[in-house]
Amino acid sequence: MKHGRKRLLPCGRARSVPNGKAQVSFQDLINKLNSHLSKHRLKKSYSRLAIMDVIFRHARHFSIPDLVQLAQIHRPDIAFATIYRSGPVLLSAGILKKSLSDDSGHTIYELDSEVHHDHIICKDCAEVFEFHSPAIETQLSMVAGSYGLSLTVHEHVLWAECSYFQRES
Amino acid sequence: MKHGRKRLLPCGRARSVPNGKAQVSFQDLINKLNSHLSKHRLKKSYSRLAIMDVIFRHARHFSIPDLVQLAQIHRPDIAFATIYRSGPVLLSAGILKKSLSDDSGHTIYELDSEVHHDHIICKDCAEVFEFHSPAIETQLSMVAGSYGLSLTVHEHVLWAECSYFQRES
DNA sequence: ATGAATGCAAAGGTTTTGCACCCCC
DNA sequence: GGGGGTGCAAAACCTTTGCATTCAT
């Protein structure tokens, strides 16, 4: 017997709004994409627009397999190979960025809002919160400096509990 | 043509000593394992000991595929399925913990030293440093509190540069 | 016309699982 | 003896790739 199909999108991943902040518009995404494409002599295509649309409308924090599933629902005409191939393009266009890692180890992506933030994931309700703390950022630079390193990026994931459900012993 | 086989262990993962701190002994691992086994009515086995031995002696930060490779070298009698199956056991026994995520998205494990620390990975030399900052920890609890959450664990990975190699443009 | 992008299917790689057998309690 | 643990192989999943075709410029 195969293990049960996982829920399509754990609730924390499907939020359309993060924590109140204004996010990029779809037009922003198109602009980023076009500028990247022309910069690298690449061509416009329907598929990448459709993929961006699926992400913009239906996904917030997602793995590539998540995205494949979503696309099969909303844009079944797009082959999964195309989705895998568009990943690197959307990444280097600055449209997506890696945000955190799954419980199961899959890399999770999100729209690159250009507003740096880190994540708190609630183990009880599976909600994903975003936060930003300049104080912490400052500390981090100091830590890196003490190793003779200069910081580029960091990935910071907090796991917490809201006690929404009873804890099991 | 398939892409080149990756190095067996990127240099940063094979360190036998972290940053000078004393680490758990092998006996500690055995004790943890035994107490977990008896607590859950599980049975002792040679394989899990052998796997712990491989980890203790040859691995520092590793993915499960890394571990499979290492075991094939040092304990070729252990089936890879056994290694995959022992992962959850060693995790819940508190012997291993997830430490960070690969560039390619693989979850990386390490011995759970009970000394909490976070990681700085140098993109130039691939070294993995460990650090601990109480000041940051305090900030984090405050952040979580502001969301009504209580912090359990967190995963914090800094990516930095030491300029050991010339940067490419 | 040229080369990028796609769909399809196959190949590669990783992880899980079914089952018979073994071994610890 | 009963039930967990293991090895083996198959299955399931995930990701990349080759190739013919389509499409954008």
Side-chain angles (χ1 to χ4, degrees), chain A residues 98 101 103 105 107 123 130 136 139-140 143 147 149-150 152-162, chain B residues 98 101 103 105 107 120 123 130-131 136 139-140 147 149-150 152-162:
Chain A
K98 299 184 180 185
S101 290
D103 234 6
T107 299
K123 295 157 94 170
E130 301 179 344
I136 293 176
Q139 294 280 344
L140 293 178
V143 169
Y147 284 89
L149 302 171
S150 61
T152 55
V153 295
H154 66 119
E155 174 187 321
H156 200 168
V157 182
L158 312 187
W159 296 85
E161 299 172 344
C162 71
Chain B
K98 299 184 179 185
S101 291
D103 235 4
T107 299
I120 307 180
K123 295 158 93 169
E130 301 179 344
F131 72 94
I136 293 177
Q139 293 280 344
L140 293 179
Y147 285 89
L149 303 171
S150 61
T152 54
V153 295
H154 67 118
E155 175 187 320
H156 199 169
V157 183
L158 313 186
W159 296 85
E161 300 172 343
C162 72

Side-chain angles (χ1 to χ4, degrees), chain B:
Chain B
M1 168 179 39
K2 50 182 299 192
H3 59 277
R5 205 68 203 85
K6 73 171 179 179
R7 264 183 309 170
L8 184 56
L9 279 185
C11 55
R13 295 199 198 153
R15 307 281 144 192
S16 57
V17 176
N19 53 359
K21 283 196 207 77
Q23 293 298 295
V24 289
S25 69
F26 194 66
Q27 189 58 49
D28 290 337
L29 301 187
I30 293 177
N31 293 343
K32 278 189 189 178
L33 181 61
N34 287 345
S35 107
H36 179 261
L37 294 182
S38 64
K39 190 170 172 183
H40 294 271
R41 311 282 162 117
L42 302 177
K43 293 171 183 173
K44 295 180 183 177
S45 78
Y46 160 76
S47 294
R48 285 193 282 241
L49 277 184
I51 291 169
M52 286 201 320
D53 179 66
V54 169
I55 295 170
F56 187 75
R57 293 169 52 186
H58 304 289
R60 174 133 194 83
H61 297 101
F62 55 92
S63 64
I64 300 296
D66 286 342
L67 190 51
V68 168
Q69 278 189 73
L70 279 171
Q72 276 171 356
I73 294 172
H74 300 285
R75 300 278 184 164
D77 50 328
I78 299 178
F80 69 86
T82 302
I83 297 175
Y84 276 99
R85 282 192 272 237
S86 71
V89 175
L90 297 180
L91 266 182
S92 56
I95 289 167
L96 291 185
K97 66 181 174 189
K98 299 184 179 185
S99 72
L100 45 87
S101 291
D102 220 328
D103 235 4
S104 54
H106 282 145
T107 299
I108 302 295
Y109 298 86
E110 66 182 319
L111 285 178
D112 187 346
S113 65
E114 297 190 0
V115 179
H116 170 72
H117 58 257
D118 293 298
H119 296 92
I120 307 180
I121 303 173
C122 179
K123 295 158 93 169
D124 289 335
C125 67
E127 182 66 89
V128 178
F129 301 93
E130 301 179 344
F131 72 94
H132 176 70
S133 165
I136 293 177
E137 307 284 323
T138 305
Q139 293 280 344
L140 293 179
S141 295
M142 291 173 53
V143 169
S146 73
Y147 285 89
L149 303 171
S150 61
L151 210 53
T152 54
V153 295
H154 67 118
E155 175 187 320
H156 199 169
V157 183
L158 313 186
W159 296 85
E161 300 172 343
C162 72
S163 303
Y164 184 81
F165 299 111
Q166 301 293 342
R167 315 281 341 134
E168 43 194 353
S169 65

